[in-house]
Amino acid sequence: MTVGTHKLTLPADMLRRGFWLYTWRVVGPAGEELLYVGRTGDNSSPNASPAYIRMGQHLGSLDTQNALRKHLAKRDIFPEQCRHFELVCHGPIYPEIEKPANFSREDRLLRKELMEKHIPLRNIVGAMEKQLANDLAAADYTVLNTVPWPHDVDPELWKPIRAAFAEHFPKLRG
């Protein structure tokens, strides 16, 4: 381990809550490029956190949140051994469903109402997550995860999202 000074610049827009799509680009210890595709927008609550929150969780130690760390471990790679990590995120594609000031998790009726608004957006972005993972793999990128989402993406909604990621992943342009 070498001691060093490092700098991370975080655009303020990454603090916005909502439905984000993101791809981690990991350069492993041997210089290999590995990708992980994800999204924000919970399955079990009407929450859609900012991309930066998922950034720390993916590399953290909580088993329910650190999917990237787990996928690297399956390849006997520890994140601390990697050369670098890059997070490419796009969003918020949709804003988080607004909660009233008096929102309480115990208010089942209000929670149900919020989930009814949240689920369609989550399903759209989940379909985009699956499509992004599939498109990157088809373009010959090494994608660590598969996204078993039951919904398919709307081709018209997908075009601008794919184009945004193609700026960072040139093999998607073809």
Side-chain angles (χ1 to χ4, degrees), residues 162-174:
R162 181 184 165 107
F165 279 94
E167 291 295 317
H168 301 276
F169 301 95
K171 292 190 266 183
L172 281 180
R173 293 182 191 146

Side-chain angles (χ1 to χ4, degrees), residues 6 25-34 72 77-86:
H6 308 280
R25 177 183 285 140
V26 179
V27 178
E32 68 276 36
E33 181 183 58
L34 306 165
L72 291 170
I77 298 173
F78 295 97
E80 297 80 7
Q81 296 171 332
C82 293
R83 294 185 184 178
H84 83 256
F85 295 84
E86 177 182 86

Side-chain angles (χ1 to χ4, degrees), residues 30-170:
E32 68 276 36
E33 181 183 58
L34 306 165
L35 304 181
Y36 177 91
V37 177
R39 66 169 167 86
T40 64
D42 291 0
N43 286 335
S44 60
S45 76
N47 297 322
S49 57
Y52 88 93
I53 288 178
R54 287 299 294 137
M55 183 173 71
Q57 292 170 333
H58 269 294
L59 296 169
S61 58
L62 289 178
D63 282 342
T64 58
Q65 299 176 344
N66 64 358
L68 175 57
R69 180 177 284 275
K70 288 177 188 172
H71 280 284
L72 291 170
K74 288 178 188 176
R75 292 174 174 252
D76 294 323
I77 298 173
F78 295 97
E80 297 80 7
Q81 296 171 332
C82 293
R83 294 185 184 178
H84 83 256
F85 295 84
E86 177 182 86
L87 180 66
V88 177
C89 54
H90 182 78
I93 299 167
Y94 299 106
E96 180 179 48
I97 299 302
E98 194 169 330
K99 296 170 189 67
N102 64 342
F103 176 69
S104 166
R105 295 184 78 169
E106 286 72 41
D107 185 338
R108 291 177 191 242
L109 186 60
L110 179 56
R111 186 177 162 94
K112 181 181 180 212
E113 184 180 310
L114 293 172
M115 280 302 288
E116 287 172 357
K117 294 176 182 176
H118 173 88
I119 287 171
L121 301 177
R122 181 209 61 195
N123 289 348
I124 291 168
V125 179
M128 291 177 180
E129 176 191 18
K130 177 177 83 171
Q131 191 67 51
L132 180 57
N134 291 345
D135 286 2
L136 287 165
D140 208 27
Y141 286 98
T142 302
V143 180
L144 295 169
N145 61 316
T146 56
V147 181
W149 198 252
H151 307 282
D152 292 322
V153 73
D154 177 321
E156 290 306 309
L157 291 177
W158 178 238
K159 283 180 189 176
I161 306 297
R162 181 184 165 107
F165 279 94
E167 291 295 317
H168 301 276
F169 301 95

